[in-house]
Amino acid sequence: MYHLKMGRQLAVGVHARAAALAALLGAVCFSSSASAQPKDDAKGDLDDSPAAEKQTTDEKAQDDKAAGEKEKPQEAPPEAADENAPFEREGKTYRFAGLRFRNLIVPKAMINLFADGGSSVNVFTFGPELATRRDGLEIDLAISYADYSMNPFLFKGKNDGNDAWEMVSSSMKLVYFTTDLLYEIPLDKEKGRFSLLIGGGVGLGVVFGNLYRAQAYPNNPSRLDPDDVGSWNKCTGPTGGFCDGSNDHFGDYDEPSWINGGSKPSVFPWISLPQLSFRYKPIKQLQTRLDAGFSITGLFFGLSAGYGL
């Protein structure tokens, strides 16, 4: 009995020790696998989380955008506006200061409407001009010097007889103060370089200088040719015939002005209508014009150039 009991106790002890050893080994293995596993589980949790999916999607979108930017051709930069373009905007005022030149033609035919004799005269004028433009309307203010000097010619009134011829010459000068009002007809709307201007002008001229007149007699009384000044002479005094005593126009007689009771004008009006101009504006700062028209003294042609202010 003793031995049986001792055998049972020994067997129980062995089994208990075996069970304890197995439990110890299992605990060691479990703790080893538990300490080694979290990295993989954390990675798995990160890979499977919504944040990870969003990050992956964003990275892919950035990669696609970068690839698209590389493949997309670069657009050319917009062209800079030309500061010298001649086009004029609506509602904006443009001013130009410059010079004008004109040739006034006083034809003999126009003189003969009111008197006999005379000759065609070219009167050259020039001076400063200020042009102001806005919405196709141009106003030109000008001061012009005009030389009305004339060589001797024969002249008399329409109703006077052949013995009333006088030899006339002039050293007169005029200073005109004029205003032209012109309306623009564009010929180049997109660029604004070419246009026609139509309108007219008014002004007043102040007269300086001398007007000489003297009674004249022909070298050959049987052959009167008022167009041949060389065949006539000035009367030196009242000798009868062509040199009568109806006035004191002898020798180098200088006609007084209106102020002094004579017939020489002190001021002279300027009226031009119509006036037609061709305008060329190559750049913003420069405009040029070719002018032509009719005035109370005849035709005129001219040109002008102005620089933008």
Side-chain angles (χ1 to χ4, degrees), residues 104 106 119-124 145-153 168-174 207-212:
L104 310 180
V106 185
S119 64
S120 297
V121 179
N122 287 338
V123 179
F124 299 106
Y145 171 83
D147 187 353
Y148 277 84
S149 298
M150 292 176 283
N151 292 325
F153 58 88
V168 180
S169 63
S170 168
S171 64
M172 292 188 300
K173 312 292 189 297
L174 275 77
V207 182
F208 303 92
N210 304 99
L211 176 64
Y212 300 102

Side-chain angles (χ1 to χ4, degrees), residues 46 81 90 104 113 119 160 167 230-231:
L46 181 62
E90 293 184 3
L104 310 180
L113 294 176
S119 64
D160 295 337
M167 189 176 294
S231 65

Side-chain angles (χ1 to χ4, degrees), residues 149-165:
S149 298
M150 292 176 283
N151 292 325
F153 58 88
L154 273 297
F155 184 87
K156 73 176 184 67
K158 272 286 188 184
N159 298 323
D160 295 337
N162 286 330
D163 58 351
W165 287 103

Side-chain angles (χ1 to χ4, degrees), residues 88-92 94 133-137 183-184:
E88 296 180 357
R89 298 180 180 179
E90 293 184 3
K92 185 176 180 180
Y94 297 84
R133 295 175 48 79
R134 183 184 176 94
D135 296 338
L137 186 65
Y183 182 76
E184 181 179 25

Side-chain angles (χ1 to χ4, degrees), residues 184-190 192-196 277-279:
E184 181 179 25
I185 302 174
L187 300 179
D188 182 12
K189 292 184 178 180
E190 294 183 358
R193 294 173 298 179
F194 304 99
S195 60
L196 290 177
S277 301
F278 174 75
R279 178 174 179 263

Side-chain angles (χ1 to χ4, degrees), residues 143-276:
I143 302 175
S144 302
Y145 171 83
D147 187 353
Y148 277 84
S149 298
M150 292 176 283
N151 292 325
F153 58 88
L154 273 297
F155 184 87
K156 73 176 184 67
K158 272 286 188 184
N159 298 323
D160 295 337
N162 286 330
D163 58 351
W165 287 103
E166 291 189 351
M167 189 176 294
V168 180
S169 63
S170 168
S171 64
M172 292 188 300
K173 312 292 189 297
L174 275 77
V175 176
Y176 281 111
F177 299 87
T178 61
T179 300
D180 298 336
L181 183 63
L182 305 172
Y183 182 76
E184 181 179 25
I185 302 174
L187 300 179
D188 182 12
K189 292 184 178 180
E190 294 183 358
K191 300 290 186 179
R193 294 173 298 179
F194 304 99
S195 60
L196 290 177
L197 302 172
I198 187 168
V202 295
L204 193 67
V206 181
V207 182
F208 303 92
N210 304 99
L211 176 64
Y212 300 102
R213 56 187 297 188
Q215 294 185 41
Y217 63 94
N219 293 335
N220 184 358
S222 63
R223 184 179 176 274
L224 302 179
D225 185 2
D227 292 328
D228 183 9
V229 179
S231 65
W232 294 73
N233 297 288
K234 293 180 181 180
C235 296
T236 57
T239 58
F242 288 91
C243 302
D244 60 28
S246 59
N247 56 48
D248 57 353
H249 301 168
F250 303 109
D252 295 325
Y253 177 80
D254 186 2
E255 181 68 26
S257 66
W258 291 344
I259 297 175
N260 296 318
S263 59
K264 185 184 74 173
S266 301
V267 294
F268 194 78
W270 169 264
I271 300 175
S272 63
L273 189 71
Q275 176 179 326
L276 181 65

